[in-house]
Amino acid sequence: MSTLSTPVPRLGGARAYVVWCAAIMAYSVAVMQRTTMGVAGLEATERFQASATIVSTFVVVQLLVYALAQVPAGLLLDRYGSRVTITAGAALMATGQLLIAGTDAAAVAIAARIVVGAGDALTFSSAIRLVPAWFPATRVPILTQVTAILGQVGQIASAVPFVALLAVAGWSTAFGAAAGVSAVAALLAVLVVRATPPGIPRPRTKQNPWRIPQVVGRIVRHPATQLGFFTHLSSGFPGIAFSMMWGYPYLTAGEGLSRPAASSVMSFLVVVGIVGGPVIGALTQRHPLRRSTLVLLIIATILVPLVALVLWPGPAPMWLLLILVAGLSIGGPGSNVGFDFPRTDLAKHRLGTATGVVLMGGFLAALVTILLIGMILDLLRPDGDYDLEAFRIAFAVQIPILLLGITGMLVSRRRLRRRMAARGELVPPWREVFRDGRWRRI
């Protein structure tokens, strides 16, 4: 008598790449919607007759909703899967951008950015959740980085074609077109995205609502989650604040660059990340117990040029601006390393929630930074005529936040390594690594 065995589904095949590409498109569209208000910041002050503090509030509220919605979004992702959450996110962003396109009232615009932030919160964690579901574990670190980096193409879309459409056709047409792009992304997600390959059951959680705070508390208290949180905070928030709100105004009103030149610098931010992301992913995969050290080195590439820019006398040379932007750019892939800590230490059916907690790090710090920069600019230049000196003083608020994040990383890393040592997984000291004359695969 013969027995039939169920064939093991093949991971990483052609269909996996089709699903993955659909998720990348949805995420890139989300990045475009996220950054449209930043590149339209000066136009927004005119349309809504508002100060820098009020206009920055548009983005701050959006980021606040994005950050606070991460845990609920993670719970929804764990419960319903990526197809539902990506589709819902794209539909919400389309609705929010349509509201912005048709209003000149600041209160309505703020409400619209809340809707955009809620939709955005559902997208990235859903996209990267598909990677370990559809691909072998050996490819996950690199593909996670590639997912995040290719999604940043949406930033180029906001910095170049969106800015061009805004200048030629005006506010309503530009934001209406952005809403249409999100509608297309929602349709594509419905038709293409599936949470798991055929034959593999999707991990589900049916959580008692009364136990959710307890479960979330356990996830938050885990040192892997905390290390991921501070990793995302430290290396992620400067680039987020720069790309979403103050980078374009700083380059044009502060450094005096033309709009095409500023758009080129903003595009350079994305290009460097596209090149650097896979390299960081490969290093993360090859040396998993040196991930935090890699991130600390990346943070240094942000902190050092930022301090130099704040102290530089007169307009900064283009080479310094490009070095700063390059550091901000690889800070994005550096922040994505934060997702790898929970992935290797937490249960799979809790990864959506843990990913949401990690994502909160960079975006909470970014919204505080954006708001503080706006307040300082208004304090120094209440007439709205911002100059380079005002921008440099305002940008200096990022330095103590970076130092706070580094401290959080070091403390949580120490706690995680103690837990690892208790189960027999030791991280050799650097003197042994150098004595052996090679990187250890650990």
Side-chain angles (χ1 to χ4, degrees):
M1 184 176 66
S2 63
T3 60
L4 296 176
S5 60
T6 304
V8 178
R10 179 169 170 262
L11 297 179
R15 186 172 181 183
Y17 282 98
V18 171
V19 172
W20 180 55
C21 287
I24 289 174
M25 178 183 172
Y27 175 51
S28 67
V29 170
V31 172
M32 183 188 77
Q33 313 299 9
R34 182 191 303 169
T35 54
T36 49
M37 188 60 75
V39 297
L42 298 179
E43 288 81 359
T45 60
E46 297 176 4
R47 182 175 180 88
F48 300 107
Q49 296 298 302
S51 66
T53 301
I54 297 299
V55 172
S56 64
T57 300
F58 295 167
V59 179
V60 167
V61 169
Q62 175 189 338
L63 284 178
L64 181 62
V65 171
Y66 180 92
L68 296 181
Q70 286 303 324
V71 171
L75 292 169
L76 290 173
L77 174 59
D78 288 337
R79 178 68 182 88
Y80 296 105
S82 295
R83 181 190 185 191
V84 171
T85 50
I86 289 176
T87 303
L92 283 171
M93 285 184 282
T95 302
Q97 294 291 60
L98 276 177
L99 285 173
I100 292 174
T103 187
D104 56 5
V108 176
I110 290 174
R113 296 314 286 184
I114 290 174
V115 176
V116 171
D120 192 7
L122 290 166
T123 307
F124 179 59
S125 57
S126 303
I128 62 172
R129 177 68 174 269
L130 291 169
V131 175
W134 281 86
F135 294 93
T138 54
R139 299 190 214 170
V140 170
I142 293 178
L143 291 179
T144 298
Q145 290 286 359
V146 174
T147 302
I149 293 304
L150 292 182
Q152 299 308 308
V153 171
Q155 188 172 317
I156 297 178
S158 66
V160 182
F162 178 83
V163 167
L165 187 60
L166 183 64
V168 172
W171 183 277
S172 297
T173 299
F175 279 92
V181 174
S182 268
V184 172
L187 179 61
L188 187 65
V190 170
L191 295 177
V192 175
V193 173
R194 297 295 182 271
T196 56
I200 297 181
R202 179 173 64 82
R204 298 173 183 266
T205 57
K206 293 185 179 180
Q207 189 62 255
N208 182 339
W210 298 107
R211 294 190 63 241
I212 287 177
Q214 178 183 354
V215 172
V216 172
R218 282 203 301 266
I219 294 172
V220 170
R221 288 191 297 272
H222 198 289
T225 306
Q226 293 180 359
L227 181 55
F229 175 90
F230 284 110
T231 295
H232 197 272
L233 185 155
S234 304
S235 54
F237 87 87
I240 297 170
F242 193 87
S243 63
M244 288 193 65
M245 187 67 214
W246 292 118
Y248 197 85
Y250 162 72
L251 294 171
T252 53
E255 292 290 349
L257 299 185
S258 66
R259 285 177 177 266
S263 293
S264 297
V265 172
M266 299 299 286
S267 298
F268 179 71
L269 183 96
V270 180
V271 172
V272 173
I274 291 174
V275 174
V279 175
I280 293 171
L283 290 173
T284 302
Q285 177 181 325
R286 182 174 176 80
H287 308 290
L289 295 191
R290 300 296 180 189
R291 294 171 291 186
S292 57
T293 301
L294 174 63
V295 174
L296 290 170
L297 292 173
I298 291 170
I299 295 169
T301 69
I302 300 171
L303 183 58
V304 172
L306 177 62
V307 172
L309 183 142
V310 168
L311 299 177
W312 196 272
M318 180 58 73
W319 62 263
L320 179 56
L321 292 176
L322 293 179
I323 288 175
L324 173 67
V325 169
L328 298 174
S329 180
I330 63 171
S335 70
N336 295 330
V337 176
F339 304 123
D340 215 47
F341 297 113
R343 182 184 68 83
T344 54
D345 275 84
L346 273 71
K348 287 185 178 180
H349 67 284
R350 298 300 182 198
L351 288 183
T353 306
T355 299
V357 174
V358 172
L359 272 170
M360 289 176 67
F363 285 94
L364 281 175
L367 72 89
V368 171
T369 301
I370 289 171
L371 186 57
L372 287 175
I373 289 175
M375 293 172 63
I376 293 172
L377 288 174
D378 278 345
L379 180 65
L380 296 176
R381 306 292 294 184
D383 58 357
D385 186 18
Y386 311 125
D387 62 5
L388 181 57
E389 186 65 23
F391 268 111
R392 284 184 174 163
I393 294 173
F395 272 31
V397 302
Q398 299 172 85
I399 296 172
I401 301 175
L402 279 167
L403 297 177
L404 174 65
I406 292 170
T407 303
M409 280 188 64
L410 295 175
V411 171
S412 55
R413 182 176 72 172
R414 186 179 304 116
R415 292 182 56 232
L416 180 59
R417 286 184 174 180
R418 286 199 196 106
R419 182 178 290 222
M420 292 164 57
R423 63 176 185 251
E425 191 173 4
L426 300 176
V427 180
W430 280 107
R431 62 178 178 273
E432 291 186 13
V433 175
F434 290 129
R435 185 183 62 203
D436 293 344
R438 61 182 176 86
W439 281 91
R440 288 178 178 265
R441 182 176 176 82
I442 51 177

